[in-house]
Structures are given as C-alpha cells and as structure tokens.
Amino acid sequence: MKTILPLNALLFALCSQHVEAQTYDTNGVVVQTYAGSGFSGHVDGVGQMTMFAGPSAIVADSHSNLFAWDGGNSRIRKITPDGTVSTFVDGGTQSTGTGANVKLEQLRSMAIDRNDTIWMLQSPPPSYLYTITSGATVTRTNVLSSLAGPHGICADSSGNLYISDSAAGGNKIYRYSTNGVLSVFAGSGNFGYADGNGIFCSFSHPAALAADAADNIYVWDSSSWLVRRIDQNQNVTTVAGNHQSSVSVDGIGINAGLGHVSQMCFDGSGNLILACATAIRRISATTNVTTVAGSFSQSGYANGAGNLARFNEAFGVCVSGGTIYVADRLNHRIRSISFNPSPEPVLPADLELSTYPGLRIVGTVGRTYRIESSPDTTNWTTRATLLLNASPYLWFDQTPVSGSKFYRAMLLP
C-alpha cells in the first residue's frame, strides 16, 4: 500500500530534516572543572579539593578574583587566580559587619562595579540592597522596599545600578544613581513586550540584567522569552528571542529561541554571554545567537569540547581574562570555558625525575610469581607477589633507583 502525504505535511517533513536547533561555537571551546569536587558541602582549599553547595551566581573583579554566591551554604566564596577557594563573607550572626561576622540569606542576584564593589539583592520580604567592599565589609539599605519583587542587578561604567522589578505589579527597570536616587528607567508597569521609550514600553517579568561597554542595559524579559536592550536615552528595543515560544533555537535575532536565562554578562568583544541551565549561549553584536557549550536537551556533568560538555543548572556566568566561568549549581562546581587552550609547561622547580626499573615476565597466565631484588645477588628481598593476568607481563619497581639492584622472578607452587 502506498501512503500519500498531504502537501503541507510533505513540505514539513522535508524541511524538518534540515533544521539546526543548536549551532556550536567552533573556536576551540574546552570546558573544564575549575573548582569544586562535585560533592555538596563547605570545604575551602584549592581547585577540585573543595566543596560548594549549589553555587548560583558568580562575578569577577579587576584582579581576576572570582566571587561565587554559594547558595546552599549561604556564603560568598572567593577564588583567586591560582584556584584557591576561601570563604569571603558569611558564617556569623550579624546583618552587617565584616567577613565571617555577617550572615547572608535569601539573596537572589549579584553584580560587581568598576571599583570591585559587590552588590547583591535580597529577595522579599524584606527587600534589601547589600554592598560588599573588596575588604569584605558588608552594609545594606532598604532603598528597594517599594519594589514589588527586585530580581536582577547590574552596574554601568559610572557606578549607577540597574534593578529589574519582576513580580506582578512591577515589570519595570529602575536606576539607582550614585547620588542615592532610585527612579524608573524603563517600563510602564503593564505586562507585555512592547518596545518604546522610557515608561512607554512594557516588560513581562524582567529578570537578569547586564551592561555593555557603552552602558546599554540588556534585560532578560523572562515571560516574553526575549532579550531587550535599553540605551542611555531610555529607548527599548528587542535584540533576540521569540515571544511566541520558549523552545531553545540558535539563530539570528528574533529567529532565535530563548527558553531560560539566569545570569548574563559581556565578554571583551561585546558578546552577551547567557547562562541557560544546561547550556552557555552567546549573542553577538550582530544578534547572532549560538551555543558556546552544553546541550539544550541533556543535563549532566561532562568536561571536554563545547558540544560534548554537560551542565546541570548552569545558573551563574562571568568572564575574566578571556575565560568564561560558570556556577554549575547542581554539579556543585565552578566550571571554566576556554578558547583554543594550549598546554602549560610545568616549571622545572616543580619537576622531579625518577627512574623506575622493571621486569618483563613471560610466564603462565593464572600462576603466582614473586619478584625479588638484591644489591649483591646474594641477599634477596621480596618486592611483590603477583598473579599473572597476561603474558608477557610488565612489572615496575615504584621505588626510584638508589645504588645497584638486581631482580629475579620466582614461580610459586
């Protein structure tokens, strides 16, 4: 029996074979684990000999130090360029103060300004704006108490802060100027996705924010699945995304699909980097949306090339020294994404040359042999007893050579 498809179904079948939902960056992307063992906990130390508990936001200062909000531990962790992890803020009982004396909780998002001051929002109720200096001094203000639900935060080059009000009754972007004045920067408060100027536009639960080098403010408009841009003249335009679909699809501008974004940042080339749960994506200055690493459909943990790497709720993202760093929440790790990385030589001071002698035994598989050594062929010392699982079998003496040694193998009964 021959089945004849309707013309529209046939066209769909032919076209669907050529759909590319995910377009990967080809610039030698390599994903590695920078810090965290993968076990949930709180352990300071170096690199992967440390523990985090659900890190969900990350920023970088001007000295290449990273600061991660370790949500499960309610702490800010600092990671120096050599991979040393320490607790920067939290562990105490005070609402303000210095370092370990302060207790932080229910924090939603974080940003860092040009002076290396960290800013964090506390989710309501109540709504506080925290200021954390490079010396770990913590202060807070309730300047955001009038907002319905502050969510995202970023800073421009002059130190002005921008805050998204995401909850019902909000749907606005505020500017908190360096003179302490809080004002509406864009948004009418109406729920929608209309572009326009100032208050003559609408947002749908605006969330993550980022500022580029020209102080344009980029907004993840979460219920419209769009990335919007606000220039300093308060003109709001749509950059990328499809307001009719939350399906993730790489493409140009509004032909791309954005399903979830938790944090955004800019790299040194003017690309907007997005943390999208199971993938890290990039929007170029020409609005080309591509995937840097990860998968739209698969979560997990895997290092390697961008298309092979896997994340499990990549919530935070920042860029430092040309490397992208990701707070991989459910993997309890900080991951790094490098481009065309090259092997780094180990300094001679960190090398030690040792010679390991060995025996090649041709024997009977399944029989037991004893390896012995002697300094003079008269007095023999047992070095190993082994069951031959292959023939020939290669055995190494793991003790570096010291003086003369002779070796023999004895077939045991």
Side-chain angles (χ1 to χ4, degrees), residues 23-25 250-251 280-284 288-292 296:
T23 303
Y24 283 95
D25 183 288
D250 286 337
I280 303 300
R281 304 176 72 184
R282 173 167 55 199
I283 304 178
S284 72
N288 185 25
V289 182
T290 56
T291 300
V292 177
F296 294 162

Side-chain angles (χ1 to χ4, degrees), residues 170-181:
N171 294 312
K172 297 176 183 178
I173 309 301
Y174 286 82
R175 177 163 60 189
Y176 183 52
S177 302
T178 53
N179 62 5
V181 174

Side-chain angles (χ1 to χ4, degrees), residues 368-401:
T368 301
Y369 291 77
R370 184 172 66 226
I371 309 299
E372 299 175 348
S373 69
S374 172
D376 52 15
T377 70
T378 300
N379 301 299
W380 294 91
T381 301
T382 298
R383 307 299 312 213
T385 301
L386 53 92
L387 180 69
L388 220 64
N389 56 18
S391 180
Y393 183 97
L394 189 60
W395 173 85
F396 285 104
D397 186 348
Q398 297 297 322
T399 304
V401 169

Side-chain angles (χ1 to χ4, degrees), residues 286-301:
T286 57
T287 75
N288 185 25
V289 182
T290 56
T291 300
V292 177
S295 167
F296 294 162
S297 60
Q298 296 180 8
S299 63
Y301 171 69

Side-chain angles (χ1 to χ4, degrees), residues 25-42:
D25 183 288
T26 57
N27 191 25
V29 175
V30 176
V31 178
Q32 297 172 310
T33 297
Y34 188 65
S37 63
F39 293 96
S40 178
H42 176 242

